[in-house]
Amino acid sequence: MPLEPFAQSETLTFGVELELQLVSLSDFDLAAASPDLLHLLNRKPFPGNVTPEITESMIEINSSVHSRYGPLLAQLQEIRDTLVAGADRLNIGMCGGGTHPFQHWSERKIFEKPRFQELSSLYGYLAKQFTVFGQHVHIGCASGDDALFLLHSLSRYIPHFIALSASSPYVQGHDSLFESARLNSVFAFPMSGRAPFLLNWREFNEVFFAKMERTGIIRSMKDFYWDIRPKPEYGTIELRVCDTPLTVERAAALAAYLQALCRHLLERREAAPAEDDYLVYNYNRFQACRFGLDGMVTLPKTYQNVLLRDDILATLKLMEPHAEALESTAALRHLRQAVHGGSDATWLRSQYSDEGSPEGMVHAAIRRFRGE
């Protein structure tokens, strides 16, 4: 059965999803606390949406649909404060970060939900290793064709979002030497990577998706773990490469940067996306994951090698008129400061050094998420 029609959505509206860590305050390891926390939070109105994730040591929050950065930021801060109050009642901590620094995947418990149990049966230990934490951003698109155009046009900027959100340097008790090690867990899934180069929604739906469905491998868009994927039921594209930042302020700024980039790309003043853009895609993505802001990337149209940090700063400058129109200049200023001041991964490594233990680093991340 083909996908449903691409839903009507207001262009450039946006929303944020954040996967968050639930942490024991006794040993600062992950805690299987999501059933209790969700029960508590569902007893009164929640300023957004909160749902379980694949293991019981994590939850996902979803903002409402917004058109401007300020209201999105305000809602994310309200959601954070509501979550923190609930966590305090249960005596657990909550924090961002793309990975927990020393948890062991074998100790995780799959959440009791049919889809999660099915994924666990299919993917084996990969399901528990998927206890990693990401930020997803949805951008509203006027049509399926616009969605595919934006999806492929954004491929050149994927390293920006990896580097600016990087917050997963530690894995299973060791420094991975990556700025974003989380994405290595995502890449292990067979349907990860990037979407096929198609720019026509009818062809994507009636040819590509129909063929994939006939294989029996794919039943819905949820079965694709692509870096960016279309979501026809919402009328959006969904960017999926970001680690969960340590603060909701960084999360809101990243969403506003994506919104400004999409406004710029929809003006169609840049060269159109092409299949050959993906010749450098995997290498650029690796550079961003491994070295973050200090990575070297190859521009897909010119094959020029540039420092990712410089490319981000140049693009932030280019986005200033769009940010002004979208009322998000403060978001770009936040990200510019992050480029100069260092990523969340850099901050976590400095906290490890200052605190002298991974437990102390997690405690510091909990305080940072709370805004203390």
Side-chain angles (χ1 to χ4, degrees):
M1 170 181 279
L3 291 166
E4 60 267 49
F6 199 87
Q8 292 289 320
S9 181
E10 185 179 347
T11 302
L12 298 180
T13 51
F14 61 158
V16 166
E17 302 168 0
L18 293 175
E19 297 161 344
L20 296 168
Q21 304 184 35
L22 305 180
V23 179
S24 165
L25 292 178
S26 59
D27 61 6
F28 295 100
D29 200 351
L30 289 179
S34 67
D36 290 339
L37 181 60
L38 290 166
H39 176 74
L40 179 65
L41 293 172
N42 286 333
R43 289 166 56 182
K44 59 182 182 179
F46 190 82
N49 193 35
V50 57
T51 57
E53 255 301 335
I54 191 164
T55 66
E56 292 188 354
S57 302
M58 54 197 304
I59 59 167
E60 179 179 282
I61 59 169
N62 312 96
S63 76
S64 304
V65 178
H66 294 274
S67 60
R68 291 294 183 264
Y69 160 72
L72 171 66
L73 173 59
Q75 186 185 33
L76 288 177
Q77 291 171 328
E78 184 183 3
I79 289 173
R80 175 201 59 198
D81 294 344
T82 304
L83 290 172
V84 166
D88 285 348
R89 290 188 61 183
L90 296 175
N91 196 34
I92 59 172
M94 185 173 295
C95 63
T99 57
H100 184 279
F102 60 86
Q103 66 94 14
H104 293 285
W105 65 264
S106 60
E107 299 172 0
R108 305 285 64 87
K109 183 177 180 181
I110 301 294
F111 192 93
E112 289 289 342
K113 183 178 178 181
R115 175 169 171 79
F116 295 150
Q117 297 294 325
E118 181 182 343
L119 291 174
S120 178
S121 177
L122 174 63
Y123 289 119
Y125 84 109
L126 290 179
K128 289 187 177 181
Q129 283 205 332
F130 209 45
T131 306
V132 291
F133 309 85
Q135 172 180 351
H136 303 164
V137 184
H138 286 262
I139 295 286
C141 302
S143 68
D145 287 357
D146 274 359
L148 293 174
F149 171 82
L150 280 177
L151 185 156
H152 293 296
S153 297
L154 284 166
S155 66
R156 175 253 189 275
Y157 299 101
I158 286 296
H160 292 205
F161 290 92
I162 295 173
L164 287 168
S165 68
S167 61
S168 51
Y170 295 98
V171 179
Q172 305 281 300
H174 300 279
D175 190 332
S176 67
L177 302 183
F178 275 68
E179 293 286 287
S180 175
R182 177 190 72 92
L183 282 172
N184 293 327
S185 295
V186 180
F187 299 158
F189 286 80
M191 293 294 109
S192 64
R194 54 98 167 183
F197 189 76
L198 297 169
L199 294 172
N200 179 278
W201 181 254
R202 183 174 180 179
E203 183 181 2
F204 179 91
N205 183 10
E206 298 180 7
V207 179
F208 169 76
F209 185 83
K211 287 180 180 179
M212 290 302 300
E213 190 179 40
R214 284 199 299 273
T215 68
I217 299 170
I218 296 297
R219 290 181 296 179
S220 76
M221 286 304 304
K222 284 185 177 182
D223 296 322
F224 292 111
Y225 292 83
W226 294 334
D227 294 346
I228 315 177
R229 68 184 179 191
K231 294 289 284 184
E233 65 270 36
Y234 299 142
T236 66
I237 56 169
E238 179 188 16
L239 178 75
R240 300 169 49 83
V241 297
C242 294
D243 287 355
T244 296
L246 297 180
T247 67
V248 296
E249 288 78 14
R250 177 70 49 84
L254 287 165
Y257 181 37
L258 181 62
Q259 184 192 37
L261 268 171
C262 289
R263 187 177 190 269
H264 169 71
L265 292 169
L266 285 172
E267 291 183 344
R268 289 172 164 80
R269 296 181 181 178
E270 292 193 358
E275 173 67 45
D276 279 358
D277 295 345
Y278 287 101
L279 291 173
V280 298
Y281 183 77
N282 287 340
Y283 180 78
N284 287 348
R285 189 172 58 173
F286 164 77
Q287 282 282 318
C289 290
R290 174 65 177 87
F291 301 108
L293 297 168
D294 293 323
M296 291 292 298
V297 295
T298 302
L299 302 184
K301 300 297 186 185
T302 65
Y303 299 158
Q304 177 187 2
N305 293 320
V306 297
L307 185 66
L308 184 50
R309 183 188 306 273
D310 293 340
D311 193 41
I312 292 171
L313 288 173
T315 308
L316 288 172
K317 180 69 174 177
L318 183 64
M319 291 305 109
E320 286 178 357
H322 299 287
E324 185 174 350
L326 294 166
E327 301 173 10
S328 59
T329 54
L332 268 56
R333 183 166 59 249
H334 174 107
L335 294 178
R336 192 174 295 108
Q337 291 169 350
V339 172
H340 291 298
S343 67
D344 281 347
T346 299
W347 185 89
L348 286 167
R349 286 189 171 103
S350 71
Q351 290 301 307
Y352 196 131
S353 177
D354 292 345
E355 299 291 340
S357 70
E359 293 83 5
M361 177 181 59
V362 175
H363 192 198
I366 291 171
R367 296 195 303 271
R368 188 172 176 89
F369 179 75
R370 296 169 68 101
E372 295 178 354

